[in-house]
Amino acid sequence: MKKLLICIAGLGLMVSCAVEDMDDTVSIQNSDKENFEMYHSLDGAMDSFDLISESAFNEVQSSSRNSKSSCVSIELLVSNEEASLPGFEGYDYYSKMILDYREEQCQFDDWSGKLEYYVAGVFNEQWKDSTVFKNVRGHEGYTFDGYRVAEQNSTLSTETTKVFDVVIDGVITEPNGDSYRYTTNRNFTFENRFSADEVVILEESSLVEGITQTYFMKSESVENEPLVYKVACFNRLNFLRYPVQGSLDFTSSFGVNFNIDFGDGACDREVTLTGDNGESIVFDL
């Protein structure tokens, strides 16, 4: 134990300082934990926006004809030759849905904004979808401007297990006004998809960069330890927020480097944070 000048860090910025008797290891770990929890909250917000894309896909898939209302417009089988869509050059047709939920009467499931959703190749095993978010606000107050593209990996996919390469790039703004550039590359494998036994296995590399303040943090899946999500562990809307297995390494621009281990597959929210010094703390998400 020794006297230290302890500065409580919020998103990499010094907020308040005090001289206290503290253990060096505990101080470092608590700082790591705070930064991980901030990162996890942004990642969780992005998962919520992912679910909006999934809902849009279900709407297009279940639609049998073109339709238009004050809030939603669906066009099926648009000719790419007549209305070319960047990134969809390999497809003859695509379908699109425009959701304009900026007006109060159009708000849906506690989110608002404008979303442009495009999907092609659903029935020929060459699935690709693209979602453009325009100031979309989620139910927890986060907003996202950017895009998400998912493309089926035909080399890795089988009839029973589909693998998708996902790229996300955009700006997330917290309820307090702080903004971050969020980019990620994800590789998803699905087992028993859209069922009560669904399992999602994820390998990813993500980056959060501060826009309104200096901040930089990157996470990357540990080799051979992808994140595992189980629908059976949590309800349908929340299961993507709580991995039950896998490991991520975190690095930053301000000396925060640590590992997060999500466990052995048991249905809990317990994680283990291990710092550069080898010391660990255990806490719940």
Side-chain angles (χ1 to χ4, degrees), residues 85-272:
L85 182 65
F88 283 69
E89 291 82 0
Y91 300 88
D92 294 329
Y93 297 94
Y94 62 88
S95 297
K96 71 175 182 178
M97 178 168 66
I98 309 299
L99 301 96
D100 194 348
Y101 286 172
R102 291 172 294 186
E103 300 298 328
E104 184 176 354
Q105 70 271 19
C106 295
Q107 292 186 11
F108 174 74
D109 281 355
D110 297 322
W111 66 271
S112 62
K114 185 176 181 180
L115 181 148
E116 300 175 3
Y117 178 79
Y118 306 89
V119 62
V122 175
F123 302 108
N124 63 6
E125 300 300 321
Q126 295 180 338
W127 178 343
K128 179 174 184 177
D129 67 46
S130 174
T131 310
V132 180
F133 297 88
K134 297 185 176 181
N135 197 34
V136 175
R137 180 179 294 274
H139 68 281
E140 293 183 353
Y142 291 91
T143 61
F144 182 65
D145 281 277
Y147 67 87
R148 171 193 182 275
V149 177
E151 187 163 14
Q152 185 169 324
N153 189 317
S154 58
T155 302
L156 299 178
S157 295
T158 66
E159 289 187 7
T160 56
T161 302
K162 306 302 182 185
V163 177
F164 292 86
D165 297 318
V166 176
V167 175
I168 299 171
D169 192 340
V171 174
I172 289 182
T173 301
E174 290 189 298
N176 66 5
D178 289 335
S179 295
Y180 306 87
R181 175 79 179 276
Y182 181 99
T183 56
T184 187
N185 290 277
R186 298 176 168 180
N187 184 271
F188 285 100
T189 303
F190 299 91
E191 298 177 0
N192 304 315
R193 196 165 193 201
F194 304 126
S195 76
D197 298 318
E198 180 175 356
V199 174
V200 180
I201 301 171
L202 167 64
E203 295 184 37
E204 72 166 0
S205 175
S206 298
L207 175 66
V208 171
E209 297 177 276
I211 294 176
T212 53
Q213 54 188 297
T214 302
Y215 187 83
F216 170 102
M217 182 173 279
K218 180 179 181 180
S219 72
E220 189 166 11
S221 297
V222 175
E223 187 175 1
N224 298 321
E225 296 183 33
L227 301 188
V228 176
Y229 303 82
K230 298 179 180 179
V231 171
C233 291
F234 308 102
N235 69 53
R236 180 64 190 168
L237 295 179
N238 286 327
F239 84 101
L240 278 174
R241 301 186 62 154
Y242 305 109
V244 295
Q245 189 173 338
S247 182
L248 289 174
D249 283 333
F250 286 80
T251 56
S252 74
S253 59
F254 45 89
V256 174
N257 304 294
F258 55 89
N259 171 271
I260 292 288
D261 189 320
F262 292 90
D264 59 4
C267 291
D268 59 41
R269 301 180 185 181
E270 185 176 279
V271 298
T272 302

Side-chain angles (χ1 to χ4, degrees), residues 22-37 248 256-263 269-285:
M22 294 202 56
D23 180 88
D24 293 350
T25 299
V26 174
S27 174
I28 293 171
Q29 289 170 336
N30 285 340
S31 178
D32 290 352
K33 180 175 178 289
E34 290 171 5
N35 281 283
F36 166 71
E37 288 175 338
L248 289 174
V256 174
N257 304 294
F258 55 89
N259 171 271
I260 292 288
D261 189 320
F262 292 90
R269 301 180 185 181
E270 185 176 279
V271 298
T272 302
L273 183 155
T274 303
D276 277 348
N277 60 0
E279 300 291 337
S280 298
I281 56 173
V282 179
F283 58 95
D284 289 338
L285 294 176

Side-chain angles (χ1 to χ4, degrees), residues 55-65 74 76 123:
S55 297
F57 166 74
N58 290 333
E59 289 282 347
V60 171
Q61 190 179 43
S62 64
S63 180
S64 59
R65 59 184 178 82
I74 297 177
L76 303 179
F123 302 108

